[in-house]
Amino acid sequence: MRPGPRNLITDVAGLKVGNAQDARLKSGSTVLIGDTPFTASVHVMGGAPGTRETDLLAPDKTVAAVDALVLSGGSAYGLDACSGVVDALRAQGRGFRVGDALIPLVPGAILFDLLNGGDKDWAQNPYADLGRKAMEAAGEEFEIGSVGAGTGALSAMVKGGLGSASLQLPDGSMVGALVGANPVGAVTTPGDRHFHAAPFEIEGEFGGLGPDPSAGLGLFFESRKMAAMSARANTTIAIVATDATLTKAECQRVAVAAHDGIARAVVPAHMPNDGDLVFSLSTAARPAGDVAMIGHAAALCLSRAIARAIYAASPAQGDLLPCWSTLNA
């Protein structure tokens, strides 16, 4: 397996990603759309999820495909980013037809960034506008780091962010991951230099420093984040995608497998105060693939995407936590 040409989820042909953010708010939204509707499912392993329209992604539900997926900051307010995307899709004539009615289907998930130092004293919920702007910005190339849903994200010790990565399987199928990393746990080992995901790094994509040579990692947990703000202000939300043809049930199995990528990159993971969630989608542009290998690749991509999010994060005025890049300059 090797990364795709962009090392982004948009190496899966037919997918586009857009970001929108507000520096004053210290928050933002990220939208993934397809050229056509795609098959999708979801799996939740965190104890505190925030979601919209995820029930319809269960394998036994009748909805066959959705139009877009949204990752957003803003906690419950951020779910309104989906509304902005729904409005924009409807204006384009996209959605599920029921007689004369047109219904864009846009599941979404949020992370909590309301206590990160940004100005949250708004008169009108800003997230519908952020969702619409993110969709309008969607393209095959997009930034990672302190953008979109990752704008105000924080890990235990350093700033979080938005990350992405891809892998091409030997049969030619492409797999990619997109993540807003805002976990309870640490993405770096003690000392803030090495990444827990280092064993899965490819071609120095997050610094090339290799694994931490120390033993006994994880026995002691320190968190600048908990010291600076509420222990409830967390969550890692992600999308994994492939161009191989998968059913909804197979998409769900891939989402389950992809959660291993969170556990390999974040210590501890899937905590009661995380809302860890993975969407999984298939564009069905290629024949049916090996579900086990696609799930394995999705987990690898997600681990790498989480580390890349933290590696790419950039400092901003009023930050509560330092960036990895600042500590390791």
Side-chain angles (χ1 to χ4, degrees):
M1 291 187 286
R2 63 184 185 275
R6 302 180 186 89
N7 201 16
L8 298 172
I9 196 170
T10 48
D11 286 327
V12 177
L15 297 182
K16 296 180 176 64
V17 171
N19 293 314
Q21 54 279 325
D22 183 323
R24 178 188 57 80
L25 191 67
K26 276 190 180 295
S27 188
S29 301
T30 296
V31 176
L32 180 147
I33 62 172
D35 291 343
T36 58
F38 46 79
T39 303
S41 194
V42 67
H43 187 65
V44 180
M45 290 191 70
T51 61
R52 169 169 160 161
E53 297 268 49
T54 51
D55 283 355
L56 59 81
L57 300 178
D60 64 328
K61 301 303 184 286
T62 57
V63 169
V66 299
D67 298 289
L69 295 170
V70 172
L71 306 178
S72 184
S75 188
Y77 299 101
L79 293 174
D80 209 30
C82 298
S83 298
V85 178
V86 167
D87 289 345
L89 285 168
R90 185 175 185 275
Q92 293 180 7
R94 293 187 57 173
F96 180 64
R97 287 274 177 193
V98 182
D100 293 334
L102 182 65
I103 309 169
L105 299 176
V106 184
I110 49 83
L111 55 81
F112 188 109
D113 59 5
L114 297 179
L115 302 177
N116 64 0
D119 181 4
K120 308 302 193 296
D121 188 24
W122 58 72
Q124 181 177 346
N125 187 336
Y127 286 95
D129 187 54
L130 286 169
R132 179 184 56 78
K133 288 179 177 177
M135 184 181 144
E136 291 172 350
E140 294 177 345
E141 299 286 349
F142 62 94
E143 292 185 38
I144 62 173
S146 300
V147 293
T151 300
L154 305 170
S155 70
M157 298 301 288
V158 295
K159 279 186 75 171
L162 185 80
S164 191
S166 68
L167 281 173
Q168 187 170 37
L169 277 62
D171 69 0
S173 299
M174 190 68 72
V175 175
L178 177 70
V179 63
N182 183 57
V184 169
V187 179
T188 51
T189 65
D192 302 324
R193 182 166 174 79
H194 294 273
F195 290 93
H196 284 295
F200 311 103
E201 185 177 15
I202 300 174
E203 298 175 354
E205 61 193 335
F206 41 89
L209 299 174
D212 192 327
S214 303
L217 298 176
L219 297 179
F220 302 96
F221 178 56
E222 181 183 2
S223 175
R224 295 188 184 104
K225 183 178 183 179
M226 287 187 182
M229 59 195 296
S230 168
R232 295 184 178 275
N234 310 289
T235 293
T236 298
I237 47 177
I239 303 168
V240 296
T242 183
D243 54 5
T245 298
L246 301 178
T247 66
K248 281 179 75 176
E250 289 170 333
C251 282
Q252 188 178 58
R253 292 311 310 172
V254 170
V256 171
H259 272 281
D260 286 354
I262 298 177
R264 293 169 186 163
V266 179
V267 179
H270 308 322
M271 298 293 281
N273 293 327
D274 280 313
D276 295 349
L277 172 150
V278 178
F279 293 108
S280 175
L281 73 90
S282 163
T283 63
R286 295 178 57 86
D290 184 332
V291 177
M293 284 302 297
I294 292 169
H296 171 52
L300 294 175
C301 287
L302 187 45
S303 289
R304 295 162 48 226
I306 291 169
R308 292 189 76 208
I310 277 65
Y311 180 72
S314 55
Q317 186 176 0
D319 283 348
L320 295 184
L321 298 184
C323 290
W324 183 93
S325 59
T326 301
L327 295 175
N328 293 280

